[in-house]
Amino acid sequence: MKYKGSHTYGYNDDIGVVILGNFQSSNTLNQAQKNAAEALAKWLCYEYDLKMISSGTNMAPISTHKNIDIGTGNDVNQVCPGNNAAPWIDGTLRPNITAWGN
């Protein structure tokens, strides 16, 4: 691997993507952000042949800090990606990408 991420302690042999914004209390993802996230996810899955990633646990091609219990006590892992983004990522983006990749 040419570069190593530092986005989630213990799970950095994968690709980290960030969507900027405070999605915990105030902002929601707009349609342009959703379209870009889905297009980027499809390209990454295609380009790097991502199906199930095994980094100590089986994770779908799309996982968030909230999906990974890393036991560090870091509060960001409890809320990231936020209450206003998590439902779309968990309920729409992840299933779409998982189905698209099969």
Side-chain angles (χ1 to χ4, degrees), residues 60-93:
I62 308 273
S63 293
T64 65
H65 283 137
K66 198 173 192 173
N67 298 127
I68 303 169
D69 179 14
I70 59 172
T72 64
N74 187 343
D75 288 342
V76 72
N77 294 320
Q78 310 305 313
V79 298
C80 185
N83 290 332
N84 295 328
W88 178 78
I89 292 169
D90 293 339
T92 302
L93 180 62

Side-chain angles (χ1 to χ4, degrees), residues 12-60:
N12 293 313
D13 293 332
D14 52 13
I15 298 168
V17 175
V18 64
I19 301 173
L20 295 176
N22 176 0
F23 301 110
Q24 180 59 18
S25 58
S26 56
N27 297 333
T28 58
L29 291 166
N30 63 45
Q31 194 58 48
Q33 289 171 307
K34 291 176 182 179
N35 293 345
E38 186 163 345
L40 178 59
K42 286 179 178 178
W43 181 81
L44 288 169
C45 287
Y46 175 80
E47 183 70 19
Y48 295 101
D49 194 25
L50 302 176
K51 291 182 177 45
M52 292 300 283
I53 300 167
S54 181
S55 341
T57 184
N58 284 332
M59 297 185 294

